[in-house]
Amino acid sequence: QVQVMESGGGLVQPGGSLRLYCAVSGGIFAHTTMGWYRQASGKQRDMVARMSPDGRVVYVDSVKGRFSMSRDNAENTVYLQMNSLKPEDTAVYYCNAGWYEGATLRGTWGQGTQVTVSS
């Protein structure tokens, strides 16, 4: 069973940086599509960045040039480096793992980590 666990959230001032971590256990990590999503209070959960198994990354426009997603297949971990943080980046950040079992797409979520950008 694939499980994911996020860490690295916290309180940071506007303009600051944070690095989020997502550790994955189970499954075949190298074949897994990984994504970072966020959910602000009272809003829906939206995609921030998504990386396919071949390493291609798609970012939401609002974080392009500020956030960078990477993965370490040897450590079964994905990272989200967040720079030039803004108050509107405040949200619970979730890691998602997606993979195929035959023709069926499966997915699992972590418990989330809070990121608060405030002075």
Side-chain angles (χ1 to χ4, degrees):
Q1 182 178 359
V2 178
Q3 294 182 318
V4 300
M5 180 174 292
E6 308 93 337
S7 59
L11 173 65
V12 64
Q13 292 186 342
S17 298
L18 278 176
R19 195 180 200 199
L20 304 184
Y21 304 80
C22 175
V24 182
S25 61
I28 304 174
F29 181 71
H31 296 172
T32 304
T33 295
M34 299 299 303
W36 285 101
Y37 294 72
R38 64 186 179 187
Q39 187 169 16
S41 180
K43 296 188 177 181
Q44 67 180 24
R45 189 175 300 185
D46 293 321
M47 189 199 78
V48 176
R50 186 176 66 244
M51 178 181 283
S52 57
D54 63 4
R56 287 178 295 174
V57 184
V58 175
Y59 297 96
V60 67
D61 285 347
S62 60
V63 307
K64 286 180 180 178
R66 300 189 298 121
F67 290 12
S68 178
M69 183 176 182
S70 59
R71 69 192 291 163
D72 184 337
N73 285 346
E75 297 293 330
N76 285 11
T77 301
V78 293
Y79 310 92
L80 186 67
Q81 178 66 42
M82 305 186 295
N83 299 326
S84 302
L85 282 160
K86 305 175 181 180
E88 51 265 42
D89 294 318
T90 295
V92 178
Y93 284 69
Y94 295 90
C95 181
N96 176 269
W99 68 96
Y100 279 94
E101 291 182 357
T104 303
L105 179 63
R106 304 289 189 188
T108 191
W109 294 91
Q111 82 289 347
T113 185
Q114 176 71 46
V115 172
T116 303
V117 185
S118 175
S119 55

